Amino acid sequence: MRIPFIAVTLLAAAPALAQDVGWIDDARKVASSVPPKLLAVLQTEIAKGGPEGAIEVCRDKAPAMAKAASEETGWAIRRVSLKNRNPKAVPDAWERAVLEDFDRRAAAGENPATLEKAEVVTADGKPVRRYMRALPTQELCLGCHGPADKLKPAVSEKLKVLYPEDKGTGYAVGQIRGAMTIKKTM
Ligand code: HEC
């Protein structure tokens, strides 16, 4: 695991936080726990009923898994994207800046699978620990997030009904589809 870069940034910026960077490991574990579970369910459901049969799974299971993990860990957990499908998955200003930075770092050659950002910010006078981890696309994702004209008609029709404002298509393998974003007020 690659803690050092962030840890060093924090150490240099705020010595008082030095003994306190352990939270980043915790955040990393929490943010990394949900995507593999969701991927496993997606794989099973796509094998059973194609991507068109797995849309509801993604719609209902993803938020349910995030909620369960939130309750278990005390972190507020959600997914966001610069081209969101769920109308609620709009990034806030901090998240938007991080997602734009992820895109720049990926374009500059960093492996999208390892892109992460950790920072302590202040909101309403309280310190808030924030952590984001990029969610790059792989082949399987393209069945529902690939170019609109390459989606199966059954997938397009379902998406049109469920997400009339969908912006979450047009991706190729290895692009950053969005991110897990988690935060905890201290
Ligand atoms: C079976 C179709 C399907 C597949 C396959 C799929 N997704 Fe999605 N994805 C969706 C749906 C539907 C939503 C909206 C879920 C909701 O309503 O919260 C979504 C939402 C998301 C979001 C949340 C932000 C947004 O736009 O609402 C991210 C991030 C995301 N998907 C990434 C991925 C990645 C990465 C993969 C591959 C590992 C993937 N998806 C595979 C259907 C799919």
Side-chain angles (χ1 to χ4, degrees):
M1 283 284 157
R2 281 195 326 130
I3 321 167
F5 177 71
I6 291 173
V8 168
T9 312
L10 278 176
L11 283 170
L17 288 171
Q19 72 277 36
D20 210 19
V21 292
W23 71 269
I24 296 173
D25 249 349
D26 184 35
R28 184 179 286 126
K29 270 184 217 130
V30 170
S32 307
S33 69
V34 178
K37 285 186 208 156
L38 185 61
L39 184 61
V41 180
L42 272 176
Q43 277 164 339
T44 310
E45 293 303 316
I46 290 172
K48 269 197 251 164
E52 64 271 38
I55 289 174
E56 273 91 352
V57 175
C58 203
R59 190 162 93 117
D60 303 329
K61 283 266 164 71
M65 284 177 183
K67 189 161 174 263
S70 288
E71 280 161 10
E72 201 181 301
T73 62
W75 287 87
I77 305 171
R78 64 188 202 115
R79 297 189 299 175
V80 287
S81 174
L82 292 171
K83 297 197 325 167
N84 57 301
R85 171 162 288 167
N86 182 326
K88 289 194 211 142
V90 178
D92 66 20
W94 187 84
E95 290 163 335
R96 178 170 297 278
V98 173
L99 282 167
E100 287 169 355
D101 189 49
F102 282 172
D103 280 341
R104 273 193 295 271
R105 288 163 63 184
E110 273 190 68
N111 175 2
T114 59
L115 290 172
E116 59 176 1
K117 166 86 177 177
E119 193 178 353
V120 178
V121 303
T122 306
D124 298 327
K126 289 198 189 102
V128 182
R129 290 168 173 170
R130 303 200 66 165
Y131 176 87
M132 273 171 86
R133 171 167 213 98
L135 292 169
T137 47
Q138 40 186 290
E139 195 62 43
L140 161 134
C141 316
L142 302 190
C144 299
H145 295 295
D149 58 356
K150 298 258 173 63
L151 299 179
K152 284 171 80 178
V155 171
S156 301
E157 278 155 33
K158 221 168 204 178
L159 288 176
K160 216 170 275 169
V161 173
L162 293 170
Y163 305 96
E165 310 281 325
D166 186 17
K167 301 198 262 305
T169 57
Y171 287 85
V173 168
Q175 287 186 311
I176 298 166
R177 171 63 192 96
M180 294 299 298
T181 174
I182 73 172
K183 64 176 176 182
K184 197 187 253 180
T185 304
M186 289 146 75

